[in-house]
């Protein structure tokens, strides 16, 4: 591909300051996280495009630019991305599966724990490259390193599907240095700037050129997968569970705290249902979040609650609940997500009897008095014990989250509830409950119309909520009930009578 003339008209953004996370960067997290990463549509048999390169060449910045999100963590610290970050996006108008891999690192201190991590990252990168339909080999215009040369050697068997791109050439800068990469046998190189957007349209065209899209099919609404986010503090076994469910090694597993940084995607099928797992970074207390990178990791983990249907809250069976677990659960509850408490490493508990489990269950329910409906499941992710029970429970919750009750049926039930426990009637407290309707599913929300909604005691709202939960089949998920003013009965409304 011929190198296009760079666009000199594009303004250069101010480089963010290093060190502590500024208010501007915090706002950036909010804005980026609110953008939708996935298409509204579901596609099958998508081509796989993998971004590879050494650390700090701008792979995550390019991933974010191509997906129009700020999903992958970008930071000046080399080696921020460890696990592959992936998802569906459109490139040059075509749906593809794009993967941002960890940096290929050659120079390692073989006595350090980080070295062990580097080896795992390299292994994962090569594994993704083997499966790719196209490989975007990203290089840095400012210097050619030993890692670049070693990675180019590793890529030789896949040279026919390589697209070479040299980053950090905004406004024509460093182009004379970038041409030095031609000596490694590239037929063409695309000179780009991931941060400034230079030449990204040309790169996009090069990426889809020659790819066969004939097998790509579009799914229906029924094909939308159940999305499960695994959250919890570090080293509770989140990545081990994710790998056990997907029967892959998508997430790097290590007893090194903070191994997972980005949200790692995994997919599998269970009992006829497609399921996506979001393996998140371990969430520590604020005072222990010392790194800029970790700040972003924690934010990405928490934002998965906006994207998932069900949260698996992972706990070490020996450690029990922490303050962070309570805060995470509160966030999931507010969003109306299905919640399953997971006691992992149950095989390491000395007394793993049914009686011991019941004691732990009672303790958790006491900690969350308003959430006694939330299931608690004991597993061993390492041994894959309890996985079937966990997934059966998840499917049960998903069915409840998506259950819709006809307005006529629910008002027949309401009539019975009001008869069994009539609203209190005093001079100070006087109201009439008119009707109820379900306004949404997943999250499940109901509106109750009453003559004086402000007069309805919280105890009576709780009574109605419990009746909805137990009598209508929402007994294991959070439900929201809002009171609204109305003097009309349901059957007297114009839309009911035609």
């Amino acid at each position: 591909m011929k190198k296009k003339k760079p666009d000199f008209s594009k303004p250069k953004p101010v480089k963010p300051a290093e060190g502590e996370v500024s208010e501007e960067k915090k706002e950036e997290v909010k804005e980026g996280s609110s953008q939708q990463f996935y298409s509204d549509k579901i596609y099958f048999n998508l081509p796989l495009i993998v971004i590879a390169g050494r650390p700090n060449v701008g792979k995550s910045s390019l991933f974010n630019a191509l997906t129009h999100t700020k999903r992958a963590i970008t930071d000046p610290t080399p080696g921020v991305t460890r696990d592959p970050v992936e998802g569906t996006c459109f490139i040059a108008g075509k749906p593809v599966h794009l993967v941002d891999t960890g940096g290929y690192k050659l120079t390692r201190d073989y006595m350090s724990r980080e070295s062990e991590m580097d080896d795992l990252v390299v292994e994962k990168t090569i594994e993704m490259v083997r499966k790719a339909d196209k490989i975007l080999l990203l290089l840095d215009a400012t210097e050619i390193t030993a890692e670049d040369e070693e990675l180019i050697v590793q890529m030789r068997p896949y040279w026919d599907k390589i697209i070479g791109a040299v980053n950090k050439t905004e406004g024509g800068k460093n182009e004379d240095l970038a041409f030095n990469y031609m000596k490694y046998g590239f037929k063409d190189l695309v000179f780009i700037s991931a941060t400034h957007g230079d030449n990204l349209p040309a790169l996009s065209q090069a990426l889809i050129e020659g790819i066969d899209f004939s097998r790509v099919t579009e799914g229906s609404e029924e094909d939308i997968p159940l999305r499960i986010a695994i959250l919890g503090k570090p080293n509770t076994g989140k990545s081990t569970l994710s790998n056990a469910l997907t029967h892959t090694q998508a997430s790097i597993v290590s007893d090194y705290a903070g191994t997972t940084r980005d949200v790692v995607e995994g997919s599998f099928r269970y009992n006829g249902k497609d399921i996506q797992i979001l393996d998140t970074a371990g969430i520590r207390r604020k005072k222990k979040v010392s790194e800029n990178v970790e700040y972003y990791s924690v934010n990405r983990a928490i934002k998965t609650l906006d994207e998932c249907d069900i949260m698996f809250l992972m706990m070490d069976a020996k450690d029990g609940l922490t303050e962070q677990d309570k805060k995470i659960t509160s966030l999931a509850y507010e969003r109306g997500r299905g919640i399953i408490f997971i006691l992992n490493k149950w095989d390491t508990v000395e007394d793993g009897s049914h009686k011991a489990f019941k004691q732990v269950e009672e303790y958790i329910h006491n900690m969350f008095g308003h959430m006694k409906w939330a299931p608690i499941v004991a597993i061993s992710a390492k041994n894959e014990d309890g996985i079937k029970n966990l997934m059966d429970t998840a499917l049960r919750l998903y069915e409840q989250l998506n259950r819709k009750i006809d307005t006529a049926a629910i008002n027949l039930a309401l009539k019975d509830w009001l008869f069994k426990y009539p609203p209190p009637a005093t001079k100070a407290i006087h109201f009439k409950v008119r009707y109820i309707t379900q306004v949404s599913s997943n999250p499940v929300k109901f509106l109750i119309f009453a003559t004086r909604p402000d007069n309805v005691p919280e105890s009576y709202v709780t009574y109605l909520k419990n009746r909805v939960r137990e009598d209508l089949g929402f007994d294991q998920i959070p439900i929201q009930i809002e009171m609204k003013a109305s003097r009309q009965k349901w059957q007297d409304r114009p839309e009911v009578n035609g």
Side-chain angles (χ1 to χ4, degrees):
M1 175 176 283
K2 292 183 179 179
K3 179 176 67 66
K4 290 189 176 181
K5 187 177 179 181
D7 183 3
F8 289 89
S9 64
K10 293 180 181 177
K12 297 181 181 181
V14 178
K15 185 178 178 182
E18 297 180 12
E20 290 190 3
V21 181
S22 65
E23 290 302 318
E24 184 180 282
K25 295 190 89 175
K26 289 181 182 179
E27 196 60 37
E28 181 182 292
V29 170
K30 292 179 187 175
E31 291 174 4
S33 301
S34 67
Q35 297 177 4
Q36 188 165 352
F37 180 54
Y38 289 89
S39 162
D40 289 334
K41 298 179 180 178
I42 302 298
Y43 295 92
F44 300 102
N45 305 316
L46 287 173
L48 175 63
I49 297 178
V50 174
I51 304 174
R54 66 171 167 83
N56 236 25
V57 293
K59 296 184 299 300
S60 294
S61 294
L62 181 58
F63 179 89
N64 289 344
L66 292 173
T67 58
H68 303 290
T69 69
K70 293 176 183 175
R71 180 77 175 198
I73 298 172
T74 57
D75 190 89
T77 309
V80 167
T81 302
R82 286 172 174 167
D83 297 286
V85 181
E86 54 190 298
T88 299
C89 70
F90 283 84
I91 293 181
K94 298 287 188 180
V96 301
H97 195 74
L98 186 67
V99 176
D100 171 26
T101 62
Y104 187 97
K105 197 171 182 182
L106 178 64
T107 308
R108 301 193 273 280
D109 175 4
Y110 290 96
M111 298 301 290
S112 73
R113 296 295 300 277
E114 282 291 345
S115 172
E116 178 187 332
M117 195 66 61
D118 293 337
D119 290 337
L120 292 170
V121 170
V122 169
E123 184 182 321
K124 193 70 62 181
T125 297
I126 299 301
E127 180 186 325
M128 296 303 298
V129 159
R130 289 194 192 104
K131 298 187 290 186
D133 294 288
K134 277 282 179 78
I135 303 161
L136 200 176
L137 182 56
L138 193 61
L139 306 159
D140 188 326
T142 60
E143 64 173 337
I144 300 175
T145 69
E147 271 105 350
D148 292 317
E149 294 180 334
E150 175 67 21
L151 183 55
I152 289 169
V153 170
Q154 292 278 0
M155 294 295 110
R156 291 296 181 194
Y158 319 104
W159 207 248
D160 58 336
K161 54 184 183 180
I162 291 274
I163 298 294
V166 186
N167 194 23
K168 305 177 186 177
T169 62
E170 57 270 12
K173 186 175 71 173
N174 301 319
E175 284 192 0
D176 53 336
L177 298 172
F179 273 111
N180 289 327
Y181 283 105
M182 294 298 290
K183 67 183 179 183
Y184 295 103
F186 292 99
K187 290 183 180 179
D188 293 296
L189 286 171
V190 187
F191 291 2
I192 69 165
S193 170
T195 303
H196 297 70
D198 294 22
N199 260 358
L200 292 191
L203 176 62
S204 297
Q205 288 296 334
L207 285 172
I208 66 166
E209 190 176 327
I211 290 181
D212 181 10
F213 288 91
S214 63
R215 293 180 62 247
V216 176
T217 57
E218 186 178 321
S220 63
E221 188 176 340
E222 289 73 28
D223 296 316
I224 295 174
L226 157 58
R227 288 171 62 77
I228 299 171
I230 310 177
L231 284 90
K233 71 176 190 176
N235 272 13
T236 51
K238 296 184 296 298
S239 295
T240 302
L241 175 60
S242 177
N243 289 347
L245 289 169
T246 58
H247 299 289
T248 68
Q249 295 298 315
S251 296
I252 294 175
V253 176
S254 170
D255 57 3
Y256 184 77
T259 298
T260 303
R261 285 172 170 170
D262 282 291
V263 176
V264 184
E265 311 281 337
S267 300
F268 65 103
R269 194 169 177 83
Y270 183 80
N271 279 4
K273 181 64 183 175
D274 288 320
I275 297 172
Q276 284 187 336
I277 287 289
L278 310 174
D279 175 20
T280 69
I283 298 177
R284 310 171 191 241
R285 286 180 296 170
K286 269 189 177 179
K287 66 180 182 180
K288 291 191 176 181
V289 179
S290 55
E291 296 179 47
N292 199 21
V293 172
E294 194 167 355
Y295 170 84
Y296 283 96
S297 299
V298 170
N299 272 276
R300 292 294 187 271
I302 291 173
K303 289 305 291 185
T304 59
L305 293 175
D306 293 326
E307 303 166 4
C308 72
D309 303 296
I310 294 171
M311 177 187 76
F312 285 174
L313 183 67
M314 291 283 282
M315 296 175 282
D316 188 312
K318 287 185 175 180
D319 296 343
L321 281 167
T322 67
E323 283 301 316
Q324 287 304 98
D325 293 330
K326 296 174 193 175
K327 290 176 183 176
I328 296 165
T329 303
S330 177
L331 291 171
Y333 177 81
E334 288 168 7
R335 288 163 171 78
R337 304 305 178 211
I339 299 165
I340 301 177
F341 295 106
I342 300 178
L343 300 173
N344 191 29
K345 308 179 186 179
W346 189 251
D347 55 312
T348 65
V349 177
E350 289 184 17
D351 180 13
S353 64
H354 179 71
K355 183 179 178 181
F357 174 77
K358 285 296 179 185
Q359 288 174 342
V360 177
E361 187 178 51
E362 184 180 353
Y363 165 73
I364 293 174
H365 283 159
N366 286 337
M367 296 298 291
F368 296 96
H370 63 295
M371 285 179 53
K372 291 188 176 180
W373 38 263
I376 302 169
V377 179
I379 69 165
S380 169
K382 186 178 180 180
N383 300 331
E384 300 191 12
D385 292 334
I387 301 291
K388 183 181 184 302
N389 180 32
L390 175 62
M391 292 313 304
D392 288 343
T393 303
L395 289 182
R396 205 159 53 241
L397 264 64
Y398 188 66
E399 187 277 326
Q400 292 189 17
L401 284 167
N402 290 281
R403 180 173 294 163
K404 296 175 183 176
I405 307 296
D406 180 72
T407 302
I410 193 173
N411 279 280
L412 282 174
L414 176 64
K415 189 176 179 180
D416 185 53
W417 301 335
L418 297 176
F419 176 76
K420 288 180 178 176
Y421 182 21
T426 66
K427 287 184 178 180
I429 301 175
H430 184 71
F431 63 91
K432 287 185 179 180
V433 176
R434 291 303 190 185
Y435 64 96
I436 182 173
T437 184
Q438 184 178 354
V439 293
S440 73
S441 57
N442 199 10
V444 175
K445 185 177 179 180
F446 294 87
L447 270 181
I448 296 179
F449 293 85
T451 53
R452 293 180 178 87
D454 293 340
N455 283 2
V456 183
E458 190 62 37
S459 59
Y460 201 76
V461 175
T462 301
Y463 162 73
L464 292 174
K465 182 180 283 190
N466 288 339
R467 295 277 54 80
V468 168
R469 188 184 300 286
E470 294 171 22
D471 295 353
L472 301 181
F474 299 98
D475 63 326
Q476 289 190 305
I477 63 167
I479 62 171
Q480 301 168 17
I481 288 187
E482 183 182 334
M483 303 296 298
K484 202 167 184 181
S486 176
R487 291 189 172 277
Q488 277 189 313
K489 294 182 179 179
W490 169 72
Q491 59 268 31
D492 294 336
R493 294 179 305 153
E495 56 265 38
V496 173
N497 293 310

